[in-house]
Amino acid sequence: MDVQANIDTEKLVLDLFEVEGVKFGNYTLKSGVQAPVYIDLRVVVSYPELMVRVSEMLWKASQNVKSEYKSICGVPYTALPLATCISAKENIPMLIRRKEAKGYGTKKLIEGKYNDGDNCLIIEDVCTSGSSVLDTVQALKTCGIKVSDAIVLLDREQGAVDVLKQHGITLHSVMGLNQVMEILERSKKIDCEMVEKVRSFLQVNRFTPSTNTQPCQPNQIKKLSFTERGKLCTNQMTKKLFGIMEEKKSNLVVSADFTQSQQILELVDKVGPHVCMVKTHIDIVEDFSQDFITKLLQMAQKHKFLLFEDRKYADIGNTVKLQYNNGIYHVSSWADIINAHCISGLGVLAALKQIGLEKNKGCLLVAEMSSTGNMITAEYTAATVKLAEENKDFVIGFICQNRLSDDPTLLHLTPGVQLKKGSDDLGQQYLTPEEVISKRGNDVIIVGRGITQSADVINTAIAYKQSAYNAYCQLLQ
Ligand code: S5P
């Protein structure tokens, strides 16, 4: 660091301390952990001169970024004004990530102009575990925007560099917490006892990269065919599905989201020869009967496809067990595959497994969603991937938007697919089959209205099937 940079950093640290952006004492963090240091840079918006200085130092740090980028994006909310200052001063386009929850209709997840494949530089104020950066990265990725670098003003030095590195992101920081403490100790703002306290806190409270959390790049995926992958499986349901996919040359699942059983049966009889699986939402069927299930099972046999009930079990273990096995639907008696959100903990999977395992059923874990503003975080996705990898006797893969595991025996099924990229008016977002399979490296597309609302369901299903299967074949070359 040059002399001027040292002077600037020192002055900035003292000013941040002065305005209580950095505080020492006894604080309870969001996580419930007691910490001797508290950093909250939201306060800088009340000191415009300081805000400009912070943004200038962030910009200087960005000079070390080697990759080219088209735009910058501040992690909401504190870094938004910082990114704005940089954008205005340096004349570099900015993107805004919406942080609101779902339900905002057509409002986009990312505001601003961008093209598929653009690289975007992330701006952040403080980094602890890197999870906020990853949330923004994930939102950008959903829109086809790449991220290779992030700039942070203050790295708390608790492991964010390694966590982000595992996700292919280089973190550049203006300063680290140890440097901040040195400056404050030298300036007699804090004593050596406090410095020691913070140092041991940082040592104990470290975040380490978890295994297999990184969405794999398609070029890193082992180029194994469905047949080869099927041979590696010990889970009989996964093996069966790989077999059907290869035999029917179809990695297409149709989502039969109709409310009348007759509509479902008619659809399934038409598209059955072209799909590897039919997905149902059995609780939307208004005239449900055992006879309907019998006919559905007959169709499954006739056209050789599996049945996937998209119930997304998410309650405590005891409840999901009853939902899966009992009620009027008796899902476990007919559905080959079900899915679950593991939001409520390990009990969901344990309970479903108690019922499903001995019936040789399979389960998909919802690791990512297609809807805008969904609240799944990068940590949640990573924990879900770990759970899947530890329960491969019952879990056959994921409902996801990106390839999440490089384990060839786990399947990646992606909903939110239409022949044209777009969205509906209730937050559903669509990617094309090529994007999902070749660019993102997933295995299977799930298509609902793209087929069900078409005037010619058979030929439309064929078009989806060919487009997804060709994309898979291209990956093998
Ligand atoms: O993230 C998800 C997960 C699922 S399973 N997004 C989804 O859209 N789904 C389901 O896929 C959804 O419940 C619906 O049945 C189907 C997509 O339907 P489409 O009409 O939008 O293609």
Side-chain angles (χ1 to χ4, degrees):
M1 211 185 260
D2 62 35
V3 180
Q4 188 55 48
N6 269 329
I7 296 171
D8 291 346
T9 310
E10 186 143 346
K11 178 157 175 16
L12 186 71
V13 168
L14 292 171
D15 290 346
L16 288 175
F17 182 77
E18 212 51 51
V19 301
E20 299 196 317
V22 182
K23 294 192 275 193
F24 295 87
N26 221 341
Y27 302 96
T28 307
L29 303 181
K30 241 193 307 184
S31 56
V33 171
Q34 293 284 321
V37 57
Y38 186 70
I39 302 168
D40 181 0
L41 299 189
R42 275 175 292 194
V43 69
V44 299
V45 294
S46 301
Y47 304 89
E49 182 275 330
L50 187 55
M51 182 162 68
V52 169
R53 234 181 322 135
V54 167
S55 61
E56 282 171 356
M57 293 187 74
L58 282 163
W59 179 247
K60 257 191 208 155
S62 76
Q63 304 311 303
N64 298 325
V65 173
K66 295 202 178 70
S67 346
E68 297 232 326
Y69 50 88
K70 288 265 165 60
S71 55
I72 57 172
C73 178
V75 175
Y77 288 101
T78 316
L80 273 180
L82 301 173
T84 312
C85 289
I86 297 174
S87 169
K89 174 119 192 278
E90 309 299 335
N91 190 26
I92 171 144
M94 182 169 97
L95 297 173
I96 298 179
R97 180 203 156 197
R98 285 191 174 275
K99 217 185 159 191
E100 301 93 314
K102 60 182 105 184
Y104 287 78
T106 53
K107 281 194 185 163
K108 290 188 267 169
L109 200 56
I110 300 293
E111 297 290 352
K113 288 208 160 168
Y114 54 86
N115 290 313
D116 214 26
D118 278 359
N119 197 21
C120 176
L121 178 68
I122 302 276
I123 307 290
E124 174 64 307
D125 59 332
V126 183
C127 243
T128 307
S129 66
S131 66
S132 309
V133 170
L134 288 177
D135 287 344
T136 296
V137 170
Q138 202 166 3
L140 289 163
K141 272 194 179 159
T142 311
C143 298
I145 304 161
K146 292 188 285 191
V147 175
S148 58
D149 296 83
I151 312 290
V152 62
L153 179 73
L154 205 167
D155 178 7
R156 288 180 59 118
E157 297 175 325
Q158 286 176 254
V161 171
D162 292 337
V163 171
L164 292 174
K165 191 171 166 198
Q166 197 209 22
H167 288 260
I169 296 160
T170 310
L171 183 69
H172 310 260
S173 60
V174 171
M175 57 199 172
L177 190 48
N178 279 294
Q179 190 189 355
V180 170
M181 287 188 304
E182 265 166 42
I183 294 171
L184 293 175
E185 191 188 8
R186 221 180 322 119
S187 311
K188 308 221 173 334
K189 302 289 183 192
I190 53 171
D191 56 22
C192 61
E193 215 176 294
M194 179 54 81
V195 173
E196 264 328 296
K197 228 176 172 178
V198 176
R199 286 222 168 102
S200 51
F201 169 81
L202 294 183
Q203 253 163 25
V204 175
N205 291 279
R206 279 195 70 76
F207 296 86
T208 47
S210 34
T211 52
N212 281 324
T213 58
Q214 181 183 6
C216 314
Q217 299 304 314
N219 59 7
Q220 295 173 333
I221 300 163
K222 285 199 201 98
K223 289 171 181 157
L224 294 178
S225 67
F226 292 148
T227 307
E228 287 166 316
R229 288 171 65 184
K231 282 185 192 148
L232 300 173
C233 297
T234 45
N235 182 311
Q236 291 311 307
M237 189 56 78
T238 328
K239 222 184 212 349
K240 198 166 167 182
L241 186 51
F242 273 127
I244 294 175
M245 284 158 67
E246 196 77 81
E247 188 188 325
K248 293 175 80 173
K249 298 204 179 322
S250 173
N251 46 345
L252 168 66
V253 173
V254 70
S255 189
D257 297 341
F258 284 127
T259 55
Q260 300 299 316
S261 53
Q262 197 50 36
Q263 290 174 303
I264 298 177
L265 292 172
E266 274 169 22
L267 169 81
V268 161
D269 206 18
K270 286 181 183 157
V271 305
H274 307 292
V275 301
C276 59
M277 188 146 73
V278 168
K279 183 173 84 63
T280 53
H281 282 294
I282 205 64
D283 54 1
I284 66 172
V285 177
E286 287 170 353
D287 56 348
F288 175 83
S289 66
Q290 194 47 48
D291 180 53
F292 166 57
I293 292 298
T294 308
K295 288 186 174 136
L296 201 54
L297 286 167
Q298 281 164 357
M299 297 263 185
Q301 236 182 353
K302 174 175 160 196
H303 297 302
K304 207 161 186 185
F305 58 74
L306 298 180
L307 286 172
F308 165 21
E309 165 53 22
D310 184 8
R311 173 61 181 77
K312 299 189 185 71
Y313 297 100
D315 213 312
I316 59 162
N318 187 57
T319 304
V320 299
K321 196 167 155 183
L322 294 168
Q323 288 170 326
Y324 183 24
N325 211 24
N326 303 81
I328 58 169
Y329 303 117
H330 299 284
V331 173
S332 67
S333 71
W334 55 270
D336 299 297
I337 291 162
I338 47 153
N339 57 355
H341 284 292
C342 290
I343 185 79
S344 52
L346 304 181
V348 180
L349 195 54
L352 295 173
K353 209 164 154 171
Q354 273 183 20
I355 305 285
L357 203 55
E358 62 180 36
K359 297 186 177 189
N360 293 318
K361 306 289 186 180
C363 180
L364 291 159
L365 299 186
V366 182
E368 291 175 323
M369 291 201 72
S370 60
S371 43
T372 180
N374 73 74
M375 297 179 199
I376 293 181
T377 61
E379 256 86 36
Y380 180 82
T381 301
T384 306
V385 171
K386 193 159 173 268
L387 211 55
E389 290 174 345
E390 289 166 357
N391 289 278
K392 289 201 299 174
D393 50 348
F394 185 50
V395 176
I396 68 163
F398 310 99
I399 297 293
C400 56
Q401 296 291 302
N402 296 286
R403 190 168 196 98
L404 303 169
S405 168
D406 53 12
D407 183 330
T409 64
L410 288 170
L411 281 151
H412 293 67
L413 284 78
T414 305
V417 178
Q418 287 204 347
L419 292 173
K420 267 200 204 135
K421 211 172 158 168
S423 56
D424 71 4
D425 57 0
L426 286 172
Q428 173 70 304
Q429 303 178 110
Y430 292 111
L431 299 170
T432 63
E434 295 78 22
E435 164 84 31
V436 167
I437 306 292
S438 9
K439 287 208 188 139
R440 300 191 176 206
N442 298 296
D443 302 310
V444 176
I445 57 166
I446 299 178
V447 182
R449 286 163 288 176
I451 294 175
T452 58
Q453 291 187 355
S454 142
D456 180 354
V457 289
I458 299 181
N459 280 312
T460 308
I462 293 173
Y464 276 100
K465 173 181 76 167
Q466 286 175 343
S467 143
Y469 200 78
N470 288 346
Y472 150 74
C473 291
Q474 268 166 24
L475 276 184
L476 293 181
Q477 282 161 15

